[in-house]
Amino acid sequence: MAVWDDVVGQDRLTAQLAAAARDADALVTAEHAGERPRPGEQPAPQTSADRSSASQMTHAWLFTGPPGSGRSTAARAFAAALQCVSPDRALGGAPGCGFCDGCHTSLVGTHADVEIVRTDLLSIGVKETRDLVRRSSLSPAGGRWQVIVLEDADRLTEGAGNVLLKAVEEPAPRTVWLLCAPSVEDVLPTIRSRCRHLSLRTPPVAAVADVLVRRDGIEPEAAARAARATQGHIGRARRLATDERARARRAAVLKLPLRTDDIGGCLKAAQELIDAAGEDAKQVAEDVDTKETEELRAALGAAAGTGGRMPRGTAGAMKELQDKQKRRSTRTQRDSLDLALVDLTGFYRDVLALQMGASVPLANDEVRDSIHRIASSSTPERTLRRIEAVIACREALDRNVAPLLAVEAMAVALRAG
């Protein structure tokens, strides 16, 4: 299985990346073949323009696309292709076989020269970015390229972005940056102007269902239902098909439009939505937080049988970990709440489709009766205003408005239509 097989519904993009990987392989192969300066002769400096003008390969890439389109999957596949050491390449085979040691370790995240950076916090700060920049200046330890995949480039703070700029502007000869973000506007203009931009689209529902069946062993009917419900979001479709709790939470969200007949119902529904997001965050954090805390205590020398007492001078490290866990919990809660709002938008999208007589399949076919009920008792104009209310709630949460206030305001707006 080639590394590109998991990049769903992005044929044009994979063709571009495969061509770049072939050029990158040719560059490294030529260097290893002995095309180096003679003893005492200094190599001519090579700028990024030199590398990109006659080659599909360049030193910095920006992958953008809507959530679930597979930005990070495409970046990791490209990283694997750059590290491919398959012997078939000498016979004309394309890099990215998916089976060799370079491909396999890159895809599972254990390759020494592939750094995959993702954050479970609200932002990526200057300190973490400086560590990445220091790593980017190193030569590959054993692979063909030093590859840094930054999956959440949109979470860089302004200071962190300025730190990254210098490394992207003047990269080391064998370093490649792969940045992922929802859109080009989420990345500093000075950084995106120095990257080759690749835009991903939302994968077709049929393609997502196929990959769930082929890769995850999900029953075809369940895979098709999950893919349709998430409208092509690969990660959410997999979770919906495999996690009973996710299906239960989604079912509860889709009942909300029927619970806004009065102000009391609006406020109660809003509180339950916030509580569900908090419970989701708590479930995610329980195992991770406990493991992190125990590992840090052991590293700091907390001996068993001491009543939990920590050595002197370690309180600061424990406080730093607790702050990190609190920030992660906040982000997890916001992400869970945002997913609920996306599901709610999909519900009203189906309502609008029925009202307009559109010949498109319903994303939420399992609640068809509720959709028909709302569609018959309102107008397309009211449905559009309700969709705008959900979008406004998401924007308010991005601006750090108190979640309960934002959701209550949305629920009241849904009632008013």
Side-chain angles (χ1 to χ4, degrees), residues 217-412:
I218 297 170
E219 290 295 326
E221 184 178 347
R225 187 166 53 249
R228 184 177 62 252
T230 58
Q231 291 295 287
H233 191 300
I234 302 171
R236 290 183 60 213
R238 182 182 298 113
R239 185 181 183 190
L240 198 61
T242 58
D243 188 345
E244 179 62 36
R245 292 181 304 180
R247 292 193 291 271
R249 282 191 294 271
R250 182 172 180 276
V253 169
L254 296 180
K255 293 178 182 177
L256 189 146
L258 300 177
R259 302 176 59 195
T260 58
D261 293 335
D262 54 60
I263 295 297
C266 292
L267 300 182
K268 183 178 180 181
Q271 184 64 64
E272 290 178 358
L273 194 60
I274 294 296
D275 291 343
E279 183 63 27
D280 194 22
K282 182 180 178 181
Q283 290 175 352
V284 171
E286 278 180 351
D287 294 337
V288 177
D289 288 358
T290 301
K291 182 180 178 181
E292 284 182 345
T293 301
E294 291 304 318
E295 288 178 348
L296 182 59
R297 287 173 59 84
L300 295 176
T306 60
R309 293 179 59 187
M310 296 291 295
R312 291 179 179 273
T314 60
M318 291 299 298
K319 179 66 165 58
E320 184 178 351
L321 177 62
Q322 290 168 359
D323 290 342
K324 174 185 174 182
Q325 291 172 344
K326 184 177 180 180
R327 293 195 301 271
R328 180 170 60 204
S329 177
T330 300
R331 177 184 169 180
T332 303
Q333 183 176 4
R334 288 186 183 179
D335 288 349
S336 178
L337 187 55
D338 190 66
L339 288 179
L341 297 178
V342 170
D343 287 332
L344 198 56
T345 305
F347 179 94
Y348 285 113
R349 170 261 190 196
D350 287 345
V351 171
L352 186 62
L354 281 182
Q355 291 172 330
M356 301 301 294
S359 58
V360 295
L362 297 182
N364 303 283
D365 193 62
E366 69 273 23
V367 291
R368 177 180 290 269
D369 291 343
S370 299
I371 293 171
H372 275 278
R373 177 178 168 183
I374 298 295
S376 61
S377 63
S378 65
T379 64
E381 291 79 11
R382 294 183 68 187
T383 302
L384 284 173
R385 286 196 292 270
R386 285 166 171 159
I387 292 175
E388 289 171 353
V390 180
I391 295 173
C393 181
R394 297 181 69 191
E395 293 174 346
L397 292 173
D398 283 340
R399 296 193 301 270
N400 292 323
V401 173
L404 182 58
L405 291 178
V407 177
E408 285 178 345
M410 178 196 72
V412 172

Side-chain angles (χ1 to χ4, degrees), residues 6-67:
D6 286 344
V7 185
V8 181
Q10 314 289 345
D11 294 341
R12 181 180 176 185
L13 176 137
T14 54
Q16 290 179 275
L17 293 177
R22 284 193 296 270
D23 286 352
D25 181 65
L27 288 171
V28 177
T29 301
E31 182 177 326
H32 287 176
E35 297 180 10
R36 299 187 178 92
R38 292 186 295 274
E41 179 182 348
Q42 294 297 319
Q46 187 182 48
T47 67
S48 59
D50 295 330
R51 276 184 281 175
S52 60
S53 59
S55 170
Q56 297 296 319
M57 183 59 187
T58 190
H59 71 289
W61 300 75
L62 176 60
F63 296 79
T64 66

